[in-house]
């Protein structure tokens, strides 16, 4: 169900003000109206998408993006249907941080995608090239999201892609993190399939690729 | 003019003989020496000699005693992870829970072996170079250090929801930061680079920064007994130029995402700008493109002084080739001679 723009704006404002109480009240009111989990997903996905766009335009901070994702994920968890039937289980998506131990970017994307109706396998942080490749092949992943912080880690994405292709893996690789933001062409140089600059962009890519999600 | 005169003139918002260039070499020295990053930082002699060598080779207008960001975490008892071709990273957060903050004491500089290596390097450089080239020491701001102490996620919880513990940690970090900065100045550093990436509105919204990190910076910088440059480590700086001026900083490191003309206008006669080459991009540019970039930046930012050309992150990536660095220095000598001639 589509939530009115005015309520999306209120929810977004509560998230940007890191106001957990106000955000929970809006969630409760929306759910009380039609008992629809779909409405809640629409509300969070739309709000987080707008927040992601505003970060791109320099209107909001990374910490606001992160906290918005955390609050949304907490709320979604509380209302998640028991059988989780809504998730698109036909497609297997995983996320991991290559080499680095900084998980903020991964956590943001994870929260946004979860709020957007996708089930994500978390491969963790500090992964080597071999570890991320092995986990991807072992789990038959269809879409692999790789987050990086350092330039050297970003350049190693090419090794990941090369080994996956050598193993005839059809997996699509989406990359994100600071080095890809600082060099707009870097995702192509490392042979990734998509540039996932922020959560809303990744969400759009997945929705296009899977034909939905919410 | 020697480097010190050139830098001091531009910081005083006057035009020196040419635009000063700061190649901020940290772990890049290991590449230059052909040894591992871990080995390089194990011996102050390696760092000091390589700094002097690189200073000459790349016509650098500063010597930089920055080892790696998590050296302060090491002083707090944390782990540092060395890799082959990137800056050393901090390991597991040294503060495991917010409750632990009450029990922490700031490390004593004299008891810390890792910090001693930096001081020793500074002393060696100072005894060799005297006052001809400014030696730049580095501290992490008390406000930004917790990203490594706690991990980013836990720190944001602390910042937004645990005011008492946040203030307690800031007191600990402030005491350490002031002591660490002053020890480097005493060892021979001419100025301190105060890394504060969280001051950028790209990372923390300005409203929150003004209530927290800004006040902390004012209090901390006022106790540092020397000149301070605030660096936002690639974060956009334009919206906080006046706020950084209020902290008492003489220099501001700005981002490649900042509009150069706009920030120049806002900073004029208030704070000297340092930047804003994109280090990540430098790793894949050719000599012609980097020369054009240097020329453009100089044309937009150098007039009237108050400008030092540098990368925008505060550290040259390992992947940047020496050709590119040499080209930057050449381009500065070609296009950065005052008075700056802007071709129409």
């Amino acid at each position: 169900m589509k939530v009115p723009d005015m309520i999306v704006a209120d929810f977004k404002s509560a998230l940007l003000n890191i106001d957990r109480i106000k955000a929970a009240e809006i969630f409760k009111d929306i759910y009380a109206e039609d008992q629809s989990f779909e409405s809640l997903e629409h509300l969070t996905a739309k709000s987080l998408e707008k927040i992601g766009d505003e970060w791109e335009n320099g209107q909001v901070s990374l910490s606001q993006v992160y906290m918005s994702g955390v609050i949304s994920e907490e709320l979604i968890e509380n209302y998640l249907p028991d059988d989780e039937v809504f998730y698109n289980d036909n497609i297997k998506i995983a996320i991991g941080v290559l080499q680095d131990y900084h998980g903020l970017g991964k956590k943001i994307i994870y929260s946004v995608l979860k709020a957007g109706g996708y089930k994500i396998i978390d491969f963790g942080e500090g992964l080597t090239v071999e570890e991320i490749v092995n986990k991807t092949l072992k789990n038959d992943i269809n879409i692999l999201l790789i987050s990086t912080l350092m330039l050297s880690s970003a350049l190693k994405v090419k090794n990941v892609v090369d080994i996956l292709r050598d193993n005839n893996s059809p997996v699509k690789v989406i990359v994100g993190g600071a080095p890809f933001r600082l060099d707009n062409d870097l995702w192509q140089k490392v042979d990734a399939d998509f540039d996932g600059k922020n959560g809303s962009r990744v969400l759009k890519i997945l929705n296009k690729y899977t034909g939905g999600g919410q | 003019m020697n480097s010190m005169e050139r830098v001091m003139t531009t910081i005083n918002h006057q035009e020196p003989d040419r635009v000063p260039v700061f190649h901020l070499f940290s772990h890049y020295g290991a590449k230059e020496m052909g040894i591992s990053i871990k080995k390089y930082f194990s011996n102050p002699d390696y760092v000091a000699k390589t700094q002097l060598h690189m200073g000459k080779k790349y016509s650098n207008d500063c010597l930089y005693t920055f080892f790696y960001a998590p050296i302060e975490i090491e002083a707090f008892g944390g782990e540092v992870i060395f890799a082959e071709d990137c800056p050393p990273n901090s390991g597991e957060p040294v503060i495991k829970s917010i409750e632990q903050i009450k029990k922490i004491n700031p490390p004593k500089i004299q008891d810390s072996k890792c910090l001693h290596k930096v001081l020793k390097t500074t002393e060696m450089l100072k005894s060799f170079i005297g006052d001809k080239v400014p030696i730049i020491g580095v501290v992490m701001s008390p406000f930004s250090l917790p990203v490594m102490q706690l991990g980013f996620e836990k720190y944001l919880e602390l910042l937004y929801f645990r005011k008492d513990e946040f203030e307690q940690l800031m007191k600990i970090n402030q005491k350490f930061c002031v002591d660490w900065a002053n020890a480097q100045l005493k060892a021979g550093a001419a100025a301190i680079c105060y890394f504060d990436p969280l001051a950028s509105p790209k990372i923390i919204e300005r409203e929150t920064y003004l209530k927290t990190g800004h006040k902390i910076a004012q209090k901390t910088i006022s106790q540092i007994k020397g000149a301070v440059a605030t660096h936002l480590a690639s974060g956009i700086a334009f919206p906080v130029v006046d706020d950084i001026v209020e902290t008492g900083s003489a220099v501001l490191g700005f981002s490649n995402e900042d509009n150069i003309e706009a920030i120049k206008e806002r900073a004029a006669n208030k704070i000297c700008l340092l930047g804003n080459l994109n280090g990540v991009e430098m790793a894949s540019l050719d000599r012609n493109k980097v020369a054009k970039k240097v020329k453009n930046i100089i044309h937009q930012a150098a007039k009237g002084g108050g400008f030092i050309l540098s990368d925008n992150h505060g550290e040259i990536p390992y992947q940047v080739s020496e050709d590119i660095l040499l080209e930057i220095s050449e381009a500065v000598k070609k296009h950065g001679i005052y008075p700056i001639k802007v071709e129409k």
Side-chain angles (χ1 to χ4, degrees), chain B residues 69-101:
Chain B
I71 200 163
E72 297 189 13
I73 296 301
E74 206 175 343
F76 272 86
E79 182 198 11
V80 174
I81 299 168
F82 287 87
E84 156 197 357
D85 57 0
C86 65
N89 220 324
S90 54
E92 285 287 310
V94 67
I95 303 175
K96 309 281 180 210
S97 71
I98 289 174
E99 286 64 37
Q100 202 187 324
I101 291 169

Side-chain angles (χ1 to χ4, degrees), chain B residues 179-221:
Chain B
D179 288 351
W180 178 218
N182 287 336
Q184 292 179 74
L185 290 166
K186 199 176 164 195
I192 295 297
C193 180
Y194 180 89
F195 270 110
D196 201 5
L198 268 61
S200 170
K202 192 85 184 168
I203 309 292
I204 298 283
E205 61 284 1
R206 184 168 171 261
E207 194 189 1
T208 302
Y209 167 67
L210 289 178
K211 286 186 215 154
T212 54
H214 183 245
K215 288 182 179 161
I216 291 155
Q218 283 177 310
K219 220 186 264 181
T220 308
I221 290 171

